[in-house]
PDB file of all heavy atoms in Angstrom:
ATOM      1  N   TRP A 595     152.876 -48.253  26.333  1.00 96.00           N
ATOM      2  CA  TRP A 595     151.473 -48.595  26.013  1.00 96.00           C
ATOM      3  C   TRP A 595     150.586 -47.446  26.432  1.00 96.00           C
ATOM      4  O   TRP A 595     150.872 -46.686  27.350  1.00 96.00           O
ATOM      5  CB  TRP A 595     151.058 -49.851  26.743  1.00 96.00           C
ATOM      6  CG  TRP A 595     151.724 -51.096  26.241  1.00 96.00           C
ATOM      7  CD1 TRP A 595     152.577 -51.231  25.184  1.00 96.00           C
ATOM      8  CD2 TRP A 595     151.615 -52.409  26.820  1.00 96.00           C
ATOM      9  NE1 TRP A 595     152.986 -52.522  25.048  1.00 96.00           N
ATOM     10  CE2 TRP A 595     152.415 -53.279  26.037  1.00 96.00           C
ATOM     11  CE3 TRP A 595     150.917 -52.942  27.885  1.00 96.00           C
ATOM     12  CZ2 TRP A 595     152.527 -54.630  26.333  1.00 96.00           C
ATOM     13  CZ3 TRP A 595     151.031 -54.304  28.170  1.00 96.00           C
ATOM     14  CH2 TRP A 595     151.819 -55.137  27.378  1.00 96.00           C
ATOM     15  N   SER A 596     149.430 -47.354  25.765  1.00 95.00           N
ATOM     16  CA  SER A 596     148.553 -46.236  26.050  1.00 95.00           C
ATOM     17  C   SER A 596     147.095 -46.627  25.769  1.00 95.00           C
ATOM     18  O   SER A 596     146.805 -47.792  25.423  1.00 95.00           O
ATOM     19  CB  SER A 596     148.931 -45.029  25.200  1.00 95.00           C
ATOM     20  OG  SER A 596     148.538 -45.247  23.851  1.00 95.00           O
ATOM     21  N   SER A 597     146.213 -45.677  25.893  1.00 95.00           N
ATOM     22  CA  SER A 597     144.815 -45.922  25.597  1.00 95.00           C
ATOM     23  C   SER A 597     144.603 -46.250  24.116  1.00 95.00           C
ATOM     24  O   SER A 597     143.536 -46.710  23.718  1.00 95.00           O
ATOM     25  CB  SER A 597     143.957 -44.702  25.994  1.00 95.00           C
ATOM     26  OG  SER A 597     144.359 -43.568  25.283  1.00 95.00           O
ATOM     27  N   ASP A 598     145.604 -45.944  23.260  1.00 95.00           N
ATOM     28  CA  ASP A 598     145.499 -46.276  21.844  1.00 95.00           C
ATOM     29  C   ASP A 598     145.928 -47.717  21.548  1.00 95.00           C
ATOM     30  O   ASP A 598     145.839 -48.172  20.408  1.00 95.00           O
ATOM     31  CB  ASP A 598     146.398 -45.329  21.018  1.00 95.00           C
ATOM     32  CG  ASP A 598     145.850 -43.924  20.969  1.00 95.00           C
ATOM     33  OD1 ASP A 598     144.604 -43.772  21.004  1.00 95.00           O
ATOM     34  OD2 ASP A 598     146.636 -42.964  20.952  1.00 95.00           O
ATOM     35  N   GLY A 599     146.421 -48.418  22.561  1.00 96.00           N
ATOM     36  CA  GLY A 599     146.833 -49.790  22.378  1.00 96.00           C
ATOM     37  C   GLY A 599     148.326 -49.981  22.488  1.00 96.00           C
ATOM     38  O   GLY A 599     149.048 -49.172  23.074  1.00 96.00           O
ATOM     39  N   LEU A 600     148.793 -51.087  21.903  1.00 96.00           N
ATOM     40  CA  LEU A 600     150.206 -51.456  22.045  1.00 96.00           C
ATOM     41  C   LEU A 600     151.087 -50.933  20.892  1.00 96.00           C
ATOM     42  O   LEU A 600     152.305 -51.005  20.978  1.00 96.00           O
ATOM     43  CB  LEU A 600     150.344 -52.975  22.052  1.00 96.00           C
ATOM     44  CG  LEU A 600     149.349 -53.787  22.892  1.00 96.00           C
ATOM     45  CD1 LEU A 600     149.650 -55.278  22.752  1.00 96.00           C
ATOM     46  CD2 LEU A 600     149.446 -53.361  24.334  1.00 96.00           C
ATOM     47  N   ASP A 601     150.448 -50.380  19.879  1.00 96.00           N
ATOM     48  CA  ASP A 601     151.158 -50.177  18.601  1.00 96.00           C
ATOM     49  C   ASP A 601     151.618 -48.749  18.370  1.00 96.00           C
ATOM     50  O   ASP A 601     151.030 -47.778  18.838  1.00 96.00           O
ATOM     51  CB  ASP A 601     150.239 -50.564  17.436  1.00 96.00           C
ATOM     52  CG  ASP A 601     149.657 -51.951  17.629  1.00 96.00           C
ATOM     53  OD1 ASP A 601     150.414 -52.889  17.936  1.00 96.00           O
ATOM     54  OD2 ASP A 601     148.418 -52.093  17.511  1.00 96.00           O
ATOM     55  N   ARG A 602     152.681 -48.716  17.573  1.00 95.00           N
ATOM     56  CA  ARG A 602     153.109 -47.460  16.937  1.00 95.00           C
ATOM     57  C   ARG A 602     152.894 -47.651  15.455  1.00 95.00           C
ATOM     58  O   ARG A 602     153.325 -48.646  14.859  1.00 95.00           O
ATOM     59  CB  ARG A 602     154.583 -47.196  17.245  1.00 95.00           C
ATOM     60  CG  ARG A 602     155.136 -45.917  16.640  1.00 95.00           C
ATOM     61  CD  ARG A 602     156.613 -45.740  16.922  1.00 95.00           C
ATOM     62  NE  ARG A 602     156.858 -45.545  18.362  1.00 95.00           N
ATOM     63  CZ  ARG A 602     157.479 -46.409  19.143  1.00 95.00           C
ATOM     64  NH1 ARG A 602     157.864 -47.586  18.660  1.00 95.00           N
ATOM     65  NH2 ARG A 602     157.663 -46.158  20.420  1.00 95.00           N
ATOM     66  N   VAL A 603     152.193 -46.705  14.798  1.00 94.00           N
ATOM     67  CA  VAL A 603     151.866 -46.809  13.392  1.00 94.00           C
ATOM     68  C   VAL A 603     152.497 -45.655  12.633  1.00 94.00           C
ATOM     69  O   VAL A 603     152.433 -44.506  13.070  1.00 94.00           O
ATOM     70  CB  VAL A 603     150.339 -46.797  13.177  1.00 94.00           C
ATOM     71  CG1 VAL A 603     149.977 -46.766  11.688  1.00 94.00           C
ATOM     72  CG2 VAL A 603     149.687 -48.015  13.843  1.00 94.00           C
ATOM     73  N   ALA A 604     153.106 -45.983  11.500  1.00 92.00           N
ATOM     74  CA  ALA A 604     153.742 -44.917  10.687  1.00 92.00           C
ATOM     75  C   ALA A 604     153.617 -45.289   9.209  1.00 92.00           C
ATOM     76  O   ALA A 604     153.755 -46.450   8.831  1.00 92.00           O
ATOM     77  CB  ALA A 604     155.210 -44.768  11.067  1.00 92.00           C
TER      78      ALA A 604
END
Side-chain angles (χ1 to χ4, degrees):
W595 290 355
S596 72
S597 61
D598 290 327
L600 316 180
D601 309 311
R602 181 182 293 112
V603 174

